[in-house]
Amino acid sequence: MHADVHDKLRDQVAAVMSDQAGIDVPDAEADLLDAGLIDSMALVTLIVAFEDTFAVQLPLDDFEIDRFRSVASIADFLASLGAEPVR
Amino acid sequence: MTAPETDRLQDYLTRSAERSPEAIALVLGDEVMTYGELEAAANRLAHALVEQGCKPGDRVGVLAAKTPWTIAALIAVLRAGGAYVPVDSASPAARVARIVRAAEPALLLADATATALVDGLVEEGIGDLTVGALAEPLAGQRFASAFARDDLASLPEETPTESIQRETDLAHLLFTSGSTGVPKGVMIEHANVVAFVEWALRHFGTRAGDRISGHPPLHFDLSTFDIYATLAAGAELHLVPASLGLDPKGTARFIRDRELTQWFSVPSVLTYLARFDAVAQDDFPALERLLWCGEVLPTPVLAHWMRRLPHVRFTNLYGPTEATIASSFYDVPEVPPDESVPVPIGLPCDGERLVVLDGDTPAPVGGIGELHIGGVGLSPGYWRDEEKTAAAFRADPRDPSMRIYRTGDLARVDEDGIVHFLGRTDSQIKSRGYRIELGEIEAAVNTVAGVRECAVVGVDTGGFEGTTICCAYSVADGAELPAADIRKHVTALIPRYMLPARWEVLDALPKNVNGKIDRPALRERFAAAAAKTTAKTTPTRSPGGRPNAR
């Protein structure tokens, strides 16, 4: 994936988090779990929002929390499932 | 019903420590504390509290993470003759300041997780704080601890006897959400907790070999069951690390690897683990019982767990903080045949009274009314708040010499005497087990400059999700106010568990014919958006099925 496409996906992940859950992420590498920015309820909301936005299905029965540690890791995870920036 | 062996919570520890000082009492990660070590730590800390001027009847704030030493601190306060006030050290300073002003603690016990918070309290204008550090000395920008763990070594490891004779009945103050934005302090006496613990020991047959989960936070009254039932039985309490909060597989691994015999948590944890399919068929062979309390466990989730773990006993516990831990129980006899029927809240625990009143009259069998609770768990009321106490606690119309607490829950009693919960009469909701007054959240949102109007509603997303907190707002003319900005502001005022999960900005909030905000319309609006979520993430019934299969 090209760097600009990569950055775009990260931006869109951050935008989904901000728009749907009101969570403002300081930067793509920030540790969302350590900072307490997402809890179980927010995570479930976000998973559905990511699935909707990027038209992919997240495998919940093979769930590894580290994939949701930062905007960067979420974007990588989504990309590995075939997600591309929208529009 | 036999008389309890003790009427003081801290005596549970002393008895078990005398019986088997080498036995393990508390475990967190690699940190292990035996009964003997816990007894000595609590006593030394109690001497330090007395030296710092803690007198019988004084309150002591405890602002620390859930660790073995923090539990030692709670018991130390009781040993010093005081009452503890456990405070969420992740809560914003403005809110904790209100709690501290109300409780007027003689001193605070804190750990490094609370350094910024204590600084914040000083900044909020709370002066003269004496702070004891539970581990390393604490040095904030505006305070320094008066003593730390290393200073305790020279203190005696026997109970400070001068204070034990003049203890008060009050064991702790637990602050819960208040509808006007001011938290209410529920007074809990030793006898309230002892009564529940004694019932639970009998009902569940708790024994020295048990390995018990410690999941709820210490500022939440469910944790007092974990702590004191464990200490009474001489069992092991395995504190669940906060880092597992978002990790369904890690939580399941914890239950499995620690060979827990009892798991007790709020339902949202069970829902979360089921959603991510973290529990295998016949998983957790050591587990004997699984209990939940704090809100409704959706029946499909319960059925999922019961099918996966046929060797485990499942018990629903019910009760508000004002009636101490839980007042009723329901042992689920079999996998619910109809998953659309809610789990009953059951029968009163020994010494408790559940009364469904329609106005001043007991509702007939099957009739709906407001649930009232009396009996051994009943709190004497709210700390220094006669008005709120009088509004919530009243004389039992059937016997005016007895007090009862108005729960605000609607219920009915069936022909077998089993109580069924039917919903709330007011704007209090439960989210992830936390009891939340929506008014407290609205009060916080309304402080944000640019907000013209706001309404916070709890939306039941129909089964799996539980109650989701949703906020709709409108902004002043010409103002631009993204949800993320509001969220950032209110994070400084309310705890994270109160933060709305969904936000929507509207040109104007919908109004009813009386010109009031139309909350049902807002609930429907959010529910329609949430319905999609539920449809996608309800677990399948087949073992090994993908919970998100479409």
Side-chain angles (χ1 to χ4, degrees):
Chain A
M1 189 178 283
H2 290 300
D4 54 333
V5 176
H6 190 77
D7 286 352
K8 206 168 173 190
L9 190 58
R10 285 184 179 191
D11 289 349
Q12 290 183 357
V13 165
V16 167
M17 296 183 66
S18 178
D19 296 347
Q20 309 252 349
I23 298 168
D24 232 2
V25 181
D27 63 75
E29 305 290 343
D31 191 318
L32 306 170
L33 309 182
D34 281 358
L37 279 169
I38 48 180
D39 63 10
S40 58
M41 195 74 90
L43 183 63
V44 167
T45 308
L46 287 172
I47 286 172
V48 174
F50 293 141
E51 289 188 341
D52 270 2
T53 307
F54 301 107
V56 291
Q57 192 174 342
L58 306 193
L60 294 194
D61 50 356
D62 186 29
F63 179 82
E64 290 301 335
I65 188 61
D66 280 338
R67 289 171 177 154
F68 291 85
R69 203 159 267 290
S70 66
V71 167
S73 59
I74 294 170
D76 289 348
F77 181 43
L78 289 170
S80 77
L81 296 169
E84 289 174 5
V86 287
R87 267 165 286 136
Chain B
M1 193 168 139
T2 51
E5 278 185 52
T6 176
D7 56 359
R8 297 289 170 192
L9 289 171
Q10 62 271 31
D11 295 348
Y12 284 133
L13 168 59
T14 308
R15 280 163 211 265
S16 289
E18 281 168 359
R19 265 197 306 266
S20 25
E22 302 301 326
I24 290 172
L26 307 173
V27 184
L28 174 68
D30 299 335
E31 207 180 330
V32 174
M33 216 183 232
T34 66
Y35 274 90
E37 288 164 349
L38 178 59
E39 173 78 4
N43 284 337
R44 290 195 166 116
L45 209 41
H47 281 284
L49 291 171
V50 171
E51 277 186 4
Q52 291 292 328
C54 177
K55 292 182 289 298
D58 278 353
R59 279 78 52 213
V60 176
V62 179
L63 289 62
K66 186 173 64 184
T67 68
W69 266 88
T70 306
I71 290 173
L74 303 180
I75 296 165
V77 174
L78 302 178
R79 286 273 159 83
Y84 58 81
V85 187
V87 175
D88 180 8
S89 55
S91 221
R95 187 168 196 266
V96 174
R98 287 200 292 270
I99 292 173
V100 169
R101 281 200 192 93
E104 293 186 322
L107 61 165
L108 302 181
L109 292 172
D111 67 12
T113 65
T115 307
L117 176 59
V118 177
D119 268 337
L121 292 177
V122 180
E123 214 170 311
E124 292 280 334
I126 297 178
D128 297 334
L129 284 175
T130 305
V131 179
L134 293 174
E136 305 298 309
L138 298 177
Q141 315 216 320
R142 294 178 172 80
F143 81 101
S145 53
F147 65 90
R149 194 190 296 179
D150 281 351
D151 302 320
L152 302 176
S154 59
L155 294 170
E157 59 173 72
E158 290 77 37
T159 300
T161 48
E162 65 275 15
S163 63
I164 206 167
Q165 279 141 28
R166 294 186 297 149
E167 286 164 343
T168 51
D169 294 327
L170 190 65
H172 39 257
L173 290 181
L174 297 170
F175 280 82
T176 69
S177 178
S179 55
T180 56
V182 183
K184 301 180 283 196
V186 183
M187 297 190 278
I188 299 295
E189 299 187 333
H190 285 261
N192 296 142
V193 182
V194 167
F196 181 82
V197 166
E198 294 293 324
W199 169 81
L201 295 174
R202 284 192 300 274
H203 187 76
F204 297 112
T206 317
R207 58 182 202 285
D210 270 315
R211 286 175 300 278
I212 292 171
S213 66
H215 187 276
L218 298 175
H219 56 96
F220 201 1
D221 86 327
L222 301 183
S223 66
T224 59
F225 169 33
D226 297 328
I227 295 169
Y228 296 107
T230 299
L231 298 182
E236 295 177 9
L237 181 62
H238 291 257
L239 300 171
V240 184
S243 60
L244 291 180
L246 275 169
D247 187 350
K249 289 193 163 175
T251 304
R253 203 178 309 121
F254 183 87
I255 299 173
R256 201 178 300 128
D257 293 351
R258 296 305 178 100
E259 298 179 0
L260 298 185
T261 59
Q262 171 177 310
W263 176 265
F264 176 45
S265 73
V266 293
S268 56
V269 180
L270 304 178
T271 302
Y272 194 65
L273 264 63
R275 178 191 288 280
F276 288 102
D277 206 12
V279 180
Q281 187 63 38
D282 303 310
D283 215 337
F284 317 144
L287 193 66
E288 295 173 11
R289 52 191 180 270
L290 191 150
L291 330 174
W292 64 96
C293 188
E295 63 185 315
V296 175
L297 174 63
T299 307
V301 181
L302 172 62
H304 169 87
W305 276 85
M306 289 185 80
R307 281 191 293 264
R308 288 284 159 96
L309 306 177
H311 59 290
V312 172
R313 172 182 181 185
F314 290 80
T315 305
N316 182 20
L317 295 171
Y318 161 84
T321 303
E322 283 84 347
T324 312
I325 307 171
S327 309
S328 74
F329 70 98
Y330 184 75
D331 291 313
V332 186
E334 55 177 349
V335 178
D338 182 350
E339 294 185 12
S340 66
V341 177
V343 185
I345 56 179
L347 297 165
C349 306
D350 291 348
E352 307 280 358
R353 287 179 302 127
L354 270 62
V355 190
V356 175
L357 292 179
D358 183 6
D360 273 353
T361 346
V365 169
I368 297 172
E370 186 170 357
L371 183 57
H372 290 68
I373 299 175
V376 289
L378 198 61
S379 156
Y382 301 111
W383 175 249
R384 291 181 180 165
D385 196 332
E386 285 178 22
E387 204 178 310
K388 284 207 176 78
T389 301
F393 295 82
R394 55 177 286 189
D396 186 341
R398 303 172 310 167
D399 176 0
S401 69
M402 309 284 263
R403 294 166 67 243
I404 49 176
Y405 169 70
R406 197 164 61 81
T407 62
D409 290 339
L410 293 171
R412 68 178 171 85
V413 185
D414 68 20
E415 53 280 3
D416 298 321
I418 295 171
V419 184
H420 299 258
F421 170 79
L422 301 169
R424 288 292 298 174
T425 63
D426 58 15
S427 64
Q428 185 192 101
I429 61 147
K430 289 292 185 86
S431 180
R432 284 153 281 184
Y434 288 102
R435 165 172 150 179
I436 296 165
E437 293 286 354
L438 297 175
E440 181 168 1
I441 305 170
E442 288 178 1
V445 174
N446 278 325
T447 64
V448 181
V451 171
R452 189 171 60 200
E453 247 187 333
C454 84
V456 176
V457 292
V459 176
D460 185 347
T461 46
F464 229 111
E465 196 71 344
T467 304
T468 304
I469 304 169
C470 305
C471 178
Y473 64 100
S474 61
V475 296
D477 291 336
E480 175 125 359
L481 195 54
D485 286 5
I486 302 185
R487 190 180 190 276
K488 202 180 292 171
H489 275 97
V490 300
T491 301
L493 301 171
I494 54 175
R496 287 202 184 98
Y497 60 78
M498 287 194 194
L499 288 174
R502 289 169 188 274
W503 298 82
E504 191 162 352
V505 59
L506 300 172
D507 293 339
L509 298 188
K511 300 287 162 57
N512 63 21
V513 288
N514 300 318
K516 293 191 168 171
I517 294 173
D518 189 347
R519 289 167 201 278
L522 285 173
R523 270 196 293 272
E524 271 175 39
R525 191 187 179 96
F526 282 112
K532 244 175 14 176
T533 312
T534 310
K536 273 187 200 166
T537 48
T538 301
T540 59
R541 296 185 58 154
S542 57
R546 291 164 69 86
N548 61 342
R550 283 182 199 165

